[in-house]
């Protein structure tokens, strides 16, 4: 199957999931998670009409930017972002989805101010309270969103989450529903219901995420094929 064929298959599944819960398919964006895939694969996805591409690693993204891999589609940063790499991401991407700490938020504000721009962001929620994962705990989220509102050079547009890897199908539904609740609540109380992006759901669970209210799904392997990690065992 080609990337274009995979994208149309995913589109059909997104449409079916939306229909199954009475949602308009037009309110759901498909982001291609293109990590470990080269510039040619990115261009193929863009030619096939992907709504945006998401990258995880700063170094890889910078190299692919230099190859002009993303022309024609918005570029999002979706991976863990270290503070010392903020300068390489702010102003280079349309949306930073993975803002998971106050120091990172402040660093982004500082860099965006320096560049004289307003950077769109999402706050990442660590909904499974996992030690090894970054992101705000649910009880920290409201204060973080209030803090973002005080930053003139960032614009908070919603929330993003990666639930714990669960063994059984559909096990992520309660996590998705919880994040949806936080999204609705914060948007209403702090942002005049202006939030746009609830980014959740990946290859294995994007239909569940859509039924729980996702407006943006991030799909990698089901579009680009299985990733090969040469250093996975390390
Ligand atoms: C890799 C990645 C995805 C896509 O994962 P697949 O299971 O390959 O669809 C989505 N979100 C993030 C943050 C990722 O790193």
């Amino acid at each position: 199957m080609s990337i274009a064929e995979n994208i149309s298959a995913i589109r059909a599944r997104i449409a079916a999931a939306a229909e199954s819960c009475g949602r308009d398919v037009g309110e759901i964006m498909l982001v291609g998670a293109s990590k470990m895939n080269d510039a040619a694969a990115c261009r193929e996805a863009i030619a096939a009409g992907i709504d945006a591409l998401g990258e995880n690693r700063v170094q890889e993204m910078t190299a692919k930017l230099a190859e002009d891999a993303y022309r024609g589609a918005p570029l999002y940063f979706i991976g863990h972002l270290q503070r010392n790499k903020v300068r390489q991401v702010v102003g280079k991407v349309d949306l930073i989805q993975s803002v998971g700490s106050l120091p990172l938020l402040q660093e982004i504000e500082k860099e965006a101010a320096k560049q004289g721009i307003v950077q769109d962001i999402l706050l990442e929620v660590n909904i499974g309270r996992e030690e090894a994962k970054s992101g705000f705990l649910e009880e920290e989220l409201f204060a973080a969103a209030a803090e973002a509102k005080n930053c003139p050079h960032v614009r908070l547009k919603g929330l993003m989450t990666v639930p714990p890897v669960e063994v059984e199908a559909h096990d992520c539904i309660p996590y998705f529903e919880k994040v949806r609740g936080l999204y609705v609540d914060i948007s209403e109380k702090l942002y005049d219901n202006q939030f746009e992006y609830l980014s959740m759901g990946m290859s294995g669970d994007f239909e569940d995420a859509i039924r729980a209210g996702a407006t943006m799904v991030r799909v990698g392997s089901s579009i680009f094929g299985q990733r090969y990690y040469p250093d996975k065992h390390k």
Side-chain angles (χ1 to χ4, degrees):
M1 292 276 272
S2 70
I3 287 172
E5 286 168 323
N6 288 338
I7 289 175
S8 34
I10 299 289
R11 291 273 192 210
R13 287 171 59 190
I14 289 173
E19 188 171 8
S20 76
C21 61
R23 294 186 61 198
D24 175 4
V25 67
E27 67 188 40
I28 299 154
M29 279 182 72
L30 174 59
V31 179
S34 45
K35 58 174 176 270
M36 314 283 297
N37 287 278
D38 62 12
C42 294
R43 291 189 196 107
E44 220 176 308
I46 293 166
I50 198 89
D51 295 316
L53 289 174
E55 288 291 350
N56 284 69
R57 296 173 178 83
V58 175
Q59 200 182 340
E60 180 183 339
M61 183 180 85
T62 304
K64 279 148 80 176
L65 271 170
E67 294 178 76
D68 205 17
Y70 310 109
R71 183 197 295 269
L75 174 60
Y76 298 161
F77 193 80
I78 62 175
H80 178 65
L81 180 55
Q82 289 165 291
R83 270 192 292 161
N84 62 2
K85 296 202 172 145
V86 159
R87 203 164 27 85
Q88 293 158 265
V89 176
V90 168
K92 301 274 200 304
V93 304
D94 297 282
L95 179 70
I96 303 174
Q97 296 206 357
S98 37
V99 181
S101 75
L102 291 178
L104 178 60
L105 173 66
Q106 281 141 12
E107 195 67 31
I108 291 169
E109 164 63 23
K110 207 167 99 190
E111 177 61 26
K114 204 153 117 197
Q115 295 182 21
I117 62 164
V118 175
Q119 175 70 59
D120 285 348
I121 64 161
L122 305 181
L123 295 182
E124 180 171 0
V125 195
N126 181 358
I127 199 64
R129 315 185 75 83
E130 293 170 277
E131 290 282 346
K133 204 176 266 178
S134 52
F136 292 100
L137 298 175
E138 52 188 298
E139 64 271 22
E140 298 169 340
L141 207 56
F142 202 88
E147 181 70 28
K149 209 179 164 180
N150 285 328
C151 295
H153 300 91
V154 305
R155 182 163 43 222
L156 180 59
K157 305 200 77 162
L159 303 179
M160 177 268 208
T161 200
V162 182
V165 180
E166 300 289 342
V167 233
E168 298 290 327
H170 308 305
D171 273 357
C172 286
I173 294 173
Y175 296 113
F176 290 146
E177 288 176 341
K178 220 184 230 184
V179 176
R180 164 87 197 285
L182 294 162
Y183 174 85
V184 170
D185 191 44
I186 295 171
S187 185
E188 185 193 311
K189 293 197 175 123
L190 286 178
Y191 281 84
D192 286 327
N193 287 311
Q194 295 301 302
F195 272 5
E196 283 176 61
Y197 300 138
L198 177 54
S199 174
M200 54 187 197
M202 318 202 302
S203 289
D205 54 18
F206 67 87
E207 286 138 316
D208 287 336
I210 287 167
R211 284 187 282 268
T215 68
M216 187 183 271
V217 295
R218 309 175 310 267
V219 178
S221 49
S222 293
I223 290 176
F224 296 103
Q226 285 303 319
R227 292 176 293 270
Y228 170 60
Y229 292 98
D231 56 352
K232 202 173 185 175
H233 58 284
K234 280 183 198 159

